[in-house]
Each structure stands twice: as structure tokens, then as C-alpha cells.
């Protein structure tokens, strides 16, 4: 088919580094989740310089990363926090340790950039907010399923340009591959540590809801979790979904699970559907299933026509450069603190409201 | 890509007519909705013989159909109801008249085959159930978005064969094209007559929920309607969505609206997503958006591989032959009466529970 049909929506090109070598130095303070590699890559590509790497649980991981980025393994977290050249601490700790670590970093005068989910409870949220207020530091979050996915960043622009009119509703599918049962670290199966599926991988979804609909808050009208395939790990939730009504009359449904089948070529067939008054957008984020195409397929159908774009390598990840500049200039162009924490709050509230679909299996 | 990857799921072929000419005679009693053409085509292809056609509102429509199928225009509904050769009355009346017409037909000893939505209120549901109980007749429903869509019928078989394990959740998108505002008949915009979007085009969705999940009942946990683009028709709902939790622990989200943009090649990009413990199915029912392919694309991803099938012309519509045989043999192989009416009940309950997303615009 014609890829244009009279439309002219196209990626504007990838952003450049925003600072020179050594101008913005950061450290890594926890590497429990592999997302830390994405966090560091994003920052380094935007011009940041990695100075220190530390991981209390696995020094070998820290050593590998330090070698890769010409950084130094720190002896302790304190060594990082005591270094005045460090403006930002990036970390992907075990989920229940993310807020305490962030509070410690902010109290030492550093901005903090944590893997999602940024926190697990309303108590942690309150403590984080209090520390932000007291220190003036930033508690930023790596919501990678939008910020580090080119199709998802492109959709953000399309909506801002009015390509589909007023957004009415968003639907998000965030399936993940579990791998062999028991193959993950212990904390992955421990409810107190990972928090539950809606607050964990669900956190990406809530951020996308706020970003795409423009809602500033939302009411959780349904939330469900279940353990349908992992009876040996009773605290593990392998399925979850929820529905939210936004404060601006938009709606949102999302589904997350760990049932990506072996026959899928992707770790998850992540999708986002955005319905507007003048058209719709579908994102096939990591695979265009049933074809040989990879990810970052954007389908835009509006009053002017139908456009199918593959934006891989064409959009880039402007979040990271904007985050560096926000840290330097004390602005909020990458993402507002309110937005980052409202997404966190909503995923915590979803988890708290969750109805257990498999009461015989799940404890938690 | 390989279309098989070691799998062997494929359509079994189209069903044949189940009766000979004249063996099963039926009549058409109302033609307000164009679905009546699909209802008649389905029955005739399965071997039924159309004897009478009647439409109180538009005799020209009746005449055209009678000519096409070598049938006779009836002078009145009574003429049809008095004819002992007529076993079944098919009708697509204005929605609020469907139940009264069906009750009249059943009381005259005929089975009834109505367009969806079959009824609009719980009072109509009770009256229908009472008449079924009293007369022993059938009140069957043309839930066309599954019964008359080959990909949707093929998905029914895939699930029965266990192709994706235990079904956990279904998501349905049922967008429709409105056309120029005001171009539809008056009843289309009249709330009392069409019933609301969740009970009208939403009824297809509830039937698919029951069929694909195997749930026998469900709890409506959220339902929303709105009028976002048609302020001149204040009783018209152009957007609706709802979420249901089934009595077997499955979940269902669906979204229906009248915002198919002009740039879409289809009247609606209808989709169904079925998530199971061992895989998932996606149906692209009327168009494979962003390609030149038409409808009836089935994507099956399970433990064995990824299969993309186009089943148009390969599956057929077994419902209609089964319905004819059910009428003859008093069986319930096409669809049970409970199933048909539970879908109706749930869509009525969704409509009753609906939260109005645009309170300033909508009345009703």
C-alpha cells in the first residue's frame, strides 16, 4: 500500500548529545535489574559521563559495567554520595529498596534516576515526596516502555500534533516472557520485594496512560491479578489487568502477564492502541507479529488516510538529554516530578485494589 | 515468514446445506436494520427457503428482497404467523421493538431469529424468558460479529482445541463508521429506540466474551459511555467501553465507538485478542490495517510457533445450518438459549451501569 496517502507525519530525527565529555557526571548505585544497562546507555548516548559503578550484591556486574564505560568501581555507596562531581545517581535496585536508596541519594544532594517501578507503597511515596520537598532533588523514573521505545516516543509527538484529534481511550498490552519457572532471582518471586504484577510491570502502563491521554489523575475502577501457571511460586502474580477512568473523561485498560509463549519471536508482543475522535494509533512495539518485521511499527489511521511507518532508528530517545538538562537547569522538560510520581501512585493503588482471580493459589 | 513453524491448525472447510429445497421454510418480518440481509443469506446458504417477506415501514425493501429470493411479499405480519409451513421468523426491527415482535412470533408457535441487540431492558428480558418457557419456542440472535465472521468462528475452534491453553482474558475492539452526521434513520439517534451504545453494538462483544472465555455469567466492574463528537444528537452515544469479570475468573474489556476515520479502508478495524496460558490469538476481522490484505486474518502464537492465516472463504458459517437443525430437532447445537440471553442480559446491565464520560452533552 501507499505509505503516505497524502499524510506527512514522519519522525523528525534523532536528538544529539546535550553536553560534552565530563560535563555531567553520574554514578550507578544498584544493578539488580538489567534495566540499569538501558538507563546507562540512554544517559551516555545523551552525553553524560559515567564515573562510578557500585552494586552491593554483585561486584562482578559492577566491574563489567565500569570496564565497558571507562568508569571506576566504587568501594561503597558512600563513596559515590560523597563525590561532589556526581549530579545524578542511576539505580535498578530490588523494587522494595528503590525508594530508600533514592531518599538516601537525595539527602546527599543527588538527583536520582531509578528503574521502574519507582516504589511499592503509599508510605514510600509519602517519604519520597517529603524528601523531594526538603532537598529540592529529583526522583526520576525509567519508564522504559515509552521513554526507551521509539514508536512510543513518536506516538507522543503524533498526539501532541493532533494527528488523531482528542484522545478518548488507551489500551495497553504488556506481555512478558518468564522463561523457565524459577530461573529468575529470588526477589522476582517474593511479593514483599517485587510488589505484585500491577505495581511492577504495570507501572509502565500507568505512565503511558497519563502521557497519552493527558489525564492528571485517574480512578481505578477495576484491578485484577492471578497466578494461573506458576503454582510453585505462590507469591508470584503471572497475570494482571486493570481499568482506569481519567480525570479528563478518558479511559484506560491494560493487561500485563508473564505468558509470552515459546513460539513468539519477541520477549513480549507489546502493543498500545490510542483511540481519538479523528483517528487511531496502534503501536507494535517489539515485533510486528506474523511478519518478518521487527519492532517500532506505528500505524496511524485518521481522516486523511492510513500510514504504516517503521520508525526504528529514526526517532531516538529525547528523554535522556532532556533529563540531563533538567538536572543542570532545574527544569522539568523531560518529565515533571508530578507525572512520574502520579504514575507510581496509580500503579500502587491498582495493586492495592486488586481482586484475586485465583484465590486458591495466591497468598499475598 | 513461515506460515506453519511446525503447527497444523487450519480451517476444516465450509459446511454444506443441511436441508433440501422447501424442507425448512422461514419468513422475514422486519427490515429496519440492514443486518436482515446477512441473516437471510446465512439461512438460505444453509438450505432454508425464504417464503414470505414483510416490512411494515418500507414495502419497497420487502419487494426487493422477495424478488431476490423468489419469495412473496406478505400483506401483514398475521399472514406470516398464520402459515403453518413457517417454522422460523427472522427480523431486524428497530431495537426497542425486537422483543415485542419476538414474543408475538413465539406465541404464534414460531421460532424467532432477531438481529442483535435482541432486547433493550431487563423487563423485556423477563417477558422473553416467560414466553420461551410458556411456548417452548426459540429466541435466537444474530450476533454477527462472531457468527458471521470466518476468523471469529475459526478462533472458536482453536480455543476448543486447546491451541492457546486455558483462556485468561479477551479484549474486543468494535469500532464502527458513522458516516455523515444525521445520515442514519431517526431511531439510530433516539435513545429509547436504539437503547445506547453498550446494549446496541456492545451486544456483539458480550457474546464473544461468553463464547471465548467459557464464562456462564459475569460481573460488570466498569462501564462508560460518552458523546464526544455529535453534540447535535444529544441522545446518541458515540463512545462506550466496559470491563467484566467472568464467573470463571476470566476478564474482558471491550471498546465500541462510531469514530472510524475517513482514512480507514474498512467500516471498522474490528479486533479480538484472546490471551491464554499457552499462547494468544489476534483476529483482524475486517481489514489487516496497514497492508493490502482484507479481513479474516488470524494470528496464532503459542508454544509451538507463530502462525498467520487468512481464513476468508475457508471456514464458512456453521451457525446457520446448526440453527436450522436445532429448530427442526429442538436441540441447542448452534447456540444455547441461555447463552444468547445471558449475552443480552450482560449488555443491558452494562448499559444500566454506564458512567457518563461527557455529562455536559449527554442526556439519557
Amino acid at each position: 500500500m501507499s505509505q503516505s496517502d497524502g499524510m506527512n507525519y514522519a519522525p523528525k530525527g534523532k536528538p544529539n548529545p546535550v553536553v560534552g565529555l565530563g560535563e555531567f557526571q553520574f554514578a550507578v548505585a544498584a544493578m539488580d535489574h538489567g534495566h540499569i544497562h538501558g538507563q546507562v546507555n540512554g544517559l551516555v548516548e545523551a552525553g553524560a559521563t559515567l564515573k562510578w559503578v557500585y552494586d552491593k550484591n554483585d561486584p562482578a556486574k559492577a566491574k563489567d559495567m565500569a570496564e565497558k564505560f571507562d568508569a571506576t568501581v566504587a568501594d561503597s555507596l558512600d563513596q559515590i554520595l560523597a563525590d561532589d562531581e556526581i549530579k545524578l545517581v542511576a539505580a535498578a535496585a530490588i523494587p522494595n529498596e528503590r525508594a530508600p536508596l533514592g531518599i538516601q541519594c537525595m539527602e546527599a544532594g543527588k538527583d536520582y534516576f531509578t528503574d521502574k517501578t519507582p516504589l511499592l507503597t503509599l508510605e514510600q511515596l509519602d517519604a519520597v515526596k517529603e524528601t523531594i520537598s526538603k532537598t529540592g532533588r529529583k526522583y526520576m523514573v525509567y519508564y522504559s516502555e515509552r521513554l526507551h521505545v521509539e514508536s512510543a516516543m513518536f506516538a507522543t509527538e503524533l498526539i501532541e500534533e493532533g494527528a488523531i484529534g482528542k484522545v478518548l481511550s488507551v489500551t495497553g498490552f504488556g506481555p512478558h516472557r518468564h522463561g523457565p519457572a524459577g530461573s529468575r532471582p529470588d526477589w522476582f518471586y517474593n511479593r514483599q520485594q517485587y510488589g505484585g504484577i500491577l505495581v511492577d510491570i504495570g507501572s509502565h502502563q500507568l505512565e503511558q496512560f497519563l502521557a497519552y491521554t493527558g489525564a492528571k489523575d485517574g480512578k481505578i475502577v477495576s484491578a485484577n491479578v492471578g497466578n494461573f501457571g506458576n503454582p510453585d511460586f505462590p507469591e508470584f502474580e503471572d497475570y494482571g489487568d486493570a481499568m482506569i477512568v481519567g480525570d479528563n473523561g478518558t479511559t484506560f485498560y491494560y493487561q500485563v502477564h508473564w505468558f509470552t509463549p515459546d513460539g513468539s519471536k519477541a520477549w513480549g508482543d507489546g502493543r498500545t492502541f490510542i483511540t481519538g475522535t479523528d483517528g487511531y494509533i496502534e503501536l507494535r512495539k517489539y515485533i510486528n507479529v506474523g511478519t518478518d518485521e521487527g519492532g517500532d511499527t506505528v500505524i496511524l489511521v485518521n481522516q486523511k488516510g492510513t500510514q504504516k511507518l517503521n520508525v526504528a532508528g529514526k526517532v531516538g530517545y529525547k528523554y535522556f538529554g532532556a533529563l540531563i538538562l533538567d538536572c543542570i537547569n532545574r527544569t522539568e522538560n523531560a518529565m515533571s516530578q508530578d507525572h512520574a510520581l502520579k504514575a507510581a501512585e496509580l500503579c500502587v493503588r491498582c495493586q492495592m485494589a486488586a481482586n484475586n482471580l485465583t484465590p486458591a493459589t495466591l497468598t499475598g
Side-chain angles (χ1 to χ4, degrees), chain A:
Chain A
M1 73 179 301
S2 160
Q3 295 304 310
S4 65
D5 286 353
M7 290 200 290
N8 56 3
Y9 294 106
K12 294 186 183 66
K14 297 166 74 169
N16 294 317
V18 296
V19 288
L21 190 69
E23 222 176 301
F24 184 84
Q25 299 191 47
F26 76 106
V28 164
M31 302 180 68
D32 295 286
H33 196 295
H35 276 167
I36 191 65
H37 299 285
Q39 295 171 257
V40 169
N41 287 342
L43 288 168
V44 168
E45 283 166 19
T49 302
L50 179 60
K51 181 173 182 182
W52 298 110
V53 184
Y54 178 69
D55 185 65
K56 69 173 181 181
N57 295 320
D58 192 343
K61 270 191 203 166
K63 184 163 172 285
D64 286 351
M65 180 175 273
E67 279 171 10
K68 186 173 170 194
F69 290 95
D70 202 18
T72 305
V73 174
D75 294 327
S76 66
L77 178 61
D78 287 341
Q79 189 174 18
I80 292 170
L81 299 184
D83 184 346
D84 284 344
E85 288 188 327
I86 295 299
K87 302 303 177 196
L88 176 73
V89 176
I94 294 170
N96 68 329
E97 298 175 3
R98 289 172 186 174
L101 177 59
I103 289 168
Q104 199 178 350
C105 291
M106 290 191 290
E107 285 179 341
K110 316 300 184 194
D111 290 322
Y112 181 61
F113 180 42
T114 179
D115 184 25
K116 71 73 226 164
T117 178
L119 46 84
L120 294 190
T121 65
L122 294 181
E123 292 70 30
Q124 288 191 338
L125 177 65
D126 286 344
V128 164
K129 284 183 174 174
E130 196 182 313
T131 310
I132 292 167
S133 173
K134 197 171 63 183
T135 64
R137 296 301 93 188
K138 291 178 183 291
Y139 191 99
M140 291 289 112
V141 186
Y142 182 61
Y143 291 115
S144 57
E145 292 187 18
R146 187 175 67 91
L147 304 174
H148 226 163
V149 174
E150 291 183 287
S151 54
M153 290 304 286
F154 187 54
T156 310
E157 291 175 22
L158 288 175
I159 291 166
E160 283 169 4
E161 291 169 16
I164 60 168
K166 172 181 156 47
V167 170
L168 301 178
S169 188
V170 175
T171 303
F173 294 148
H176 283 61
R177 173 166 280 138
H178 178 197
S183 61
R184 301 280 188 140
D186 288 348
W187 62 262
F188 182 87
Y189 302 104
N190 180 303
R191 173 65 185 265
Q192 191 246 333
Q193 289 180 293
Y194 85 95
I197 192 169
L198 295 179
V199 78
D200 178 17
I201 56 178
S203 58
H204 293 291
Q205 298 292 329
L206 273 302
E207 196 279 329
Q208 289 170 86
F209 157 64
L210 294 176
Y212 292 142
T213 64
K216 299 297 178 204
D217 204 347
K219 182 181 163 199
I220 290 120
V221 291
S222 177
N224 303 284
V225 296
N227 179 327
F228 291 100
N230 291 278
D232 293 342
F233 300 91
E235 294 189 21
F236 181 51
E237 295 166 352
D238 53 28
Y239 180 85
D241 61 20
M243 187 169 172
I244 321 285
V245 177
D247 62 359
N248 59 353
T250 58
T251 64
F252 179 54
Y253 169 75
Y254 72 96
Q255 181 183 109
V256 286
H257 63 74
W258 290 95
F259 287 107
T260 291
D262 292 347
S264 171
K265 294 179 180 176
W267 58 267
D269 187 358
R271 305 272 191 107
T272 309
F273 301 87
I274 308 161
T275 303
T277 50
D278 286 314
Y280 63 98
I281 294 168
E282 175 181 355
L283 307 181
R284 298 177 185 168
K285 297 170 84 164
Y286 314 117
I287 188 174
N288 185 356
V289 64
T291 76
D292 285 326
E293 295 173 27
D296 285 315
T297 294
V298 177
I299 295 167
L300 167 64
V301 185
N302 65 12
Q303 307 296 4
K304 294 177 193 157
T306 297
Q307 200 169 1
K308 175 170 170 278
L309 288 162
N310 190 294
V311 300
K314 296 173 188 162
V315 175
Y317 311 105
K318 71 177 182 183
Y319 172 80
F320 298 92
L323 173 60
I324 291 169
L325 294 177
D326 280 350
C327 291
I328 294 173
N329 303 323
R330 312 317 291 170
T331 48
E332 292 203 323
N333 296 316
M335 180 180 289
S336 74
Q337 187 65 75
D338 282 351
H339 177 98
L341 292 183
K342 181 54 75 176
E345 178 191 333
L346 288 175
C347 70
V348 169
R349 291 193 188 279
C350 280
Q351 191 71 49
M352 291 170 69
N355 165 47
N356 189 338
L357 297 169
T358 51
T361 308
L362 275 179
T363 59

